[in-house]
Amino acid sequence: MRDVRRAVDQHVESNPGVHFNELARNLDIATGQAQYHLRNLRKAGSLDIEEVRGRTHYFPPGYEPWEQRTIALLRRETVRSIIVAALEESEPSAAGLAEDLDVARSTISWHVSTLLEADVAEKTYDQKGRSHITLTRPAETRRLLNEVTPSLPDRLVDRFTRLVDDTLVD
Amino acid sequence: MLQSVSDWLSGGEAAALLAVLGLATLGTATLFLTGLAGYRRRRSKVYLLVVSALGLLLARSIVGFGTVLGLVPMPVHHLVEHGSDFVVATLILYALYSSDSPSSVE
């Protein structure tokens, strides 16, 4: 019992922003067991929780709410790529993002509204009425980006799609 | 299990063949699953063609194991392996043919 609790604590410590399903899956423990230990650890003050768009993320102590929301979003692939795009070019347009990331406009607007809600980005309009995205705290966002990385399978698939896009789709 | 292989291979060769088949299956399965995940994200024709080709590569390894285990006779084995070479080549050539040229974007 103590071992499982320690394992849960260490997993959150080394994976800040891990969400519930991922934690239970990575540690291979039952849902009830994960809930029990997370609740106890939270009562003991060893972890923080932050809920972002219907998913509960767990953090070791020491992250402020804005950092917690940003990390949670950096763990989601599409929204992460929007953040990366906004770090690479200043004020990308929603239309440009949809084209660059090859996702539907509706997908972009869903993720952008998540970013606005979390205060990670702001929306501005140009003279032609097109919407653009600006990060609220770019330097800190970049620091957090390096702290949280997607898993190896995720990156493999990303690179495969880039390879096919570059050579075949264009 | 190796009775069928012993007809046409020595013990050492059979062991080497099994090792190579194991590696080939591992590699092609990883590649196929990566491609499948890519296709599920993009859902485009080009991705479907590429992932089909990768699926055939994996199928070749499985047919290889089938032959080693005595489930796939040698003539069928050769027919499937070389037939799949032709299909893989066709799929990739068609993917190249049907992809947009850079100038045609927008």
Side-chain angles (χ1 to χ4, degrees):
Chain A
M1 220 44 176
R2 285 224 147 268
D3 284 351
V4 179
R5 180 178 159 144
R6 195 175 311 132
V8 171
D9 196 15
Q10 278 171 0
H11 195 72
V12 173
E13 184 72 42
S14 48
N15 300 278
V18 66
H19 67 82
F20 185 81
N21 297 343
E22 203 181 351
L23 179 128
R25 192 170 56 235
N26 290 346
L27 295 176
D28 197 19
I29 54 176
T31 305
Q33 210 180 359
Q35 279 168 341
Y36 172 81
H37 289 292
L38 286 167
R39 196 168 48 230
N40 284 347
L41 285 167
R42 199 185 164 204
K43 270 188 207 151
S46 324
L47 57 82
D48 279 345
I49 69 168
E50 176 74 34
E51 195 167 317
V52 181
R53 287 267 190 181
R55 259 190 188 175
T56 311
H57 295 260
Y58 298 88
F59 296 86
Y63 288 97
E64 55 152 308
W66 181 87
E67 289 177 317
Q68 292 181 353
R69 292 195 302 272
T70 307
I71 289 173
L73 293 176
L74 285 171
R75 288 191 170 275
R76 303 181 190 185
E77 200 164 60
T78 308
V79 81
R80 181 188 175 92
S81 48
I82 294 174
I83 293 172
V84 170
L87 280 170
E88 279 171 357
E89 54 170 315
S90 71
E91 302 192 17
S93 69
L97 284 170
E99 197 177 305
D100 292 348
L101 305 176
D102 194 17
V103 293
R105 277 297 297 273
S106 54
T107 310
I108 293 289
S109 55
W110 160 262
H111 289 296
V112 166
S113 68
T114 307
L115 286 169
L116 301 182
E117 230 172 71
D119 190 35
V120 176
E122 287 167 346
K123 206 165 161 179
T124 52
Y125 291 92
D126 62 18
Q127 288 137 342
K128 290 179 183 165
R130 286 178 302 207
S131 61
H132 292 260
I133 320 294
T134 324
L135 294 173
T136 51
R137 294 150 84 166
E140 285 166 271
T141 307
R142 190 182 291 279
R143 178 176 57 80
L144 293 175
L145 181 74
N146 296 330
E147 216 168 293
V148 209
T149 49
S151 62
L152 177 67
D154 262 354
R155 270 179 289 167
L156 267 185
V157 176
D158 256 9
R159 281 165 205 191
F160 173 79
T161 51
R162 284 209 297 271
L163 177 71
V164 174
D165 285 346
D166 287 351
T167 50
L168 294 173
V169 181
D170 215 273
Chain B
M1 135 176 167
L2 293 175
Q3 279 164 335
S4 53
V5 198
S6 60
D7 296 343
W8 43 276
L9 279 182
S10 70
E13 286 170 334
L17 178 65
L18 275 178
V20 168
L21 270 175
L23 289 174
T25 309
L26 200 67
T28 51
T30 308
L31 201 51
F32 173 64
L33 290 175
T34 306
L36 199 62
Y39 169 67
R40 288 177 60 182
R41 278 189 206 171
R42 302 303 177 92
R43 302 262 169 205
S44 74
K45 188 172 75 180
V46 168
Y47 274 86
L48 184 61
L49 292 167
V50 173
V51 81
S52 307
L54 296 177
L56 278 169
L57 287 182
L58 175 60
R60 287 170 58 96
S61 306
I62 293 166
V63 169
F65 267 115
T67 305
V68 168
L69 298 172
L71 300 170
V72 179
M74 205 44 110
V76 178
H77 172 96
H78 286 308
L79 201 61
V80 171
E81 303 283 284
H82 298 297
S84 67
D85 284 349
F86 170 70
V87 180
V88 166
T90 309
L91 285 169
I92 299 296
L93 283 171
Y94 184 60
L96 289 169
Y97 173 75
S98 64
S99 60
D100 296 332
S101 63
S103 56
S104 74
V105 175
E106 300 252 336

